[in-house]
Amino acid sequence: MSGNRVRITTQLIQADEGFNIWSASFDLELGDVFAIQEQIAADVVNQLKVQLLDEVPRLQETEPAAYTLFLQGRHQARLGTTEGFDQAGVLLRQALDIDPSYARAWSELARIYGNQAGVGLIPSAEGYRLSREAAGKALAHDPRLASAHGRLAWIAMFHERDLDQAARHLQQGLEIDPVNNDLLRNAATLVKYLGRLDEAIEIGSFAVVRDPLNPTGFSNLGFAYYYAGRTEEALACFRKTLELSPGRIAVRYYIGALELAAGNTQGALEISQQEPFELFRLVGLVMIHHAMGNIQESDAALAQLMENFAQDAAYNIAYALAFRGEADLAFDWLEKAVEYGDAGLGDIAIEPRFRNLHGDPRWLPFLHKLGKSPEQLT
């Protein structure tokens, strides 16, 4: 960069052999960042000879100040922390104050509301309602915004438990943008819900390669490895997530769960005590103290969890009770999770901490009621 001019070098590399297919440098005025992006995109498309619905990919233009706020908000949201979500919401609403028609900001705001609802930072029904409204506004301003279709897929998976509808939204988005990383991560989540964990890992790995500084990609890939029982790969992903976002919600909790499953109860206790989000910290402590034989401590953590997070953590309470061998109470809390619309139910068919319920005659009928029985997921 020199003064108000910028030089951008682009390359196309053949991935399987590493050959440089094409490269070019662009010396441009920095004043119009959207024009720069469109010129580079057009040249890349011409080189790839891709047949697109439009002549070249086009970005919705907005005020530079709104675009800056959008980028800052997206970065904060990717951190996956309580403070990051809050700050992202503030920044994106500021962007929308400048440009109320800025579809990408509406789509990112939809993501934030959905993520906050998913981890219990805001009530589930309210959060997903706000997420749907924001995604709808994004599509109203830009019907071809692929990420907004991804938000609707996320709501269908996590809140409505309608995997067919989620697949339709993903198909719509991927027809517009086949390599959109948001949609790829959502597709990985969908096939994970279907129990196709190898596919989830393959798609998630591709998304990580394409966006290696995004902690969300590593976190999601870690979940897929976790459910597949691939402990070392899961741990590597979660540790990379913490490297990129040290305060991210639930990552230390899942590391603790992996250590517990491996029999390292002391290591599980130490890392779980560092979990910054109380809900997940308590869930981990319920199970770890039980495994260590510290029944009084396990009971105390369970009582606090039920008192403070009954509606936000009904699903988590259910599998903690299942882990402790309390089947009747576990089924009671699973029914509460259904009543509260708990997003965690999406993972129920693959969640290893329900293993103690698998032989119970109530288990398969409950899965069937959710549309999660083995025959329904094939």
Side-chain angles (χ1 to χ4, degrees), residues 129-152:
R129 176 184 61 79
L130 291 170
S131 183
R132 177 175 287 283
E133 289 177 359
K137 289 180 180 178
L139 288 172
H141 293 298
D142 184 357
R144 290 185 52 74
L145 185 63
S147 64
H149 291 288
R151 305 293 174 254
L152 293 175

Side-chain angles (χ1 to χ4, degrees), residues 155-176:
I155 295 166
M157 282 189 285
F158 277 80
H159 184 56
E160 298 163 355
R161 299 194 302 277
D162 187 340
L163 300 188
D164 289 336
Q165 183 67 18
R168 285 191 288 272
H169 286 306
L170 286 173
Q171 183 176 3
Q172 284 180 279
L174 289 169
E175 286 174 354
I176 297 167

Side-chain angles (χ1 to χ4, degrees), residues 84-113:
F85 287 137
D86 289 342
Q87 184 62 22
V90 170
L91 291 164
L92 289 165
R93 283 186 284 270
Q94 288 176 354
L96 290 165
D97 286 340
I98 296 171
D99 182 0
S101 68
Y102 192 13
R104 294 179 73 193
W106 281 115
S107 179
E108 191 65 27
L109 193 59
R111 183 218 299 270
I112 292 166
Y113 287 136

Side-chain angles (χ1 to χ4, degrees), residues 8 61 112 116 140 176 184 256 329 342:
I8 299 172
E61 295 189 8
I112 292 166
Q116 287 176 314
I176 297 167
L184 289 172
L329 280 174
D342 197 308

Side-chain angles (χ1 to χ4, degrees), residues 34-90:
F34 298 104
I36 293 173
Q37 291 183 63
E38 288 195 6
Q39 180 176 341
I40 295 173
D43 278 20
V44 171
V45 168
N46 287 334
Q47 290 298 321
L48 287 172
K49 297 181 173 59
V50 175
Q51 297 297 317
L52 299 176
L53 293 176
D54 298 313
E55 290 184 3
V56 297
R58 295 188 64 83
L59 293 172
Q60 181 196 19
E61 295 189 8
T62 188
E63 295 291 331
Y67 182 61
T68 298
L69 289 164
F70 163 77
L71 292 177
Q72 292 172 342
R74 185 178 65 178
H75 171 73
Q76 289 294 323
R78 285 179 170 182
L79 296 178
T81 65
T82 302
E83 299 79 8
F85 287 137
D86 289 342
Q87 184 62 22
V90 170

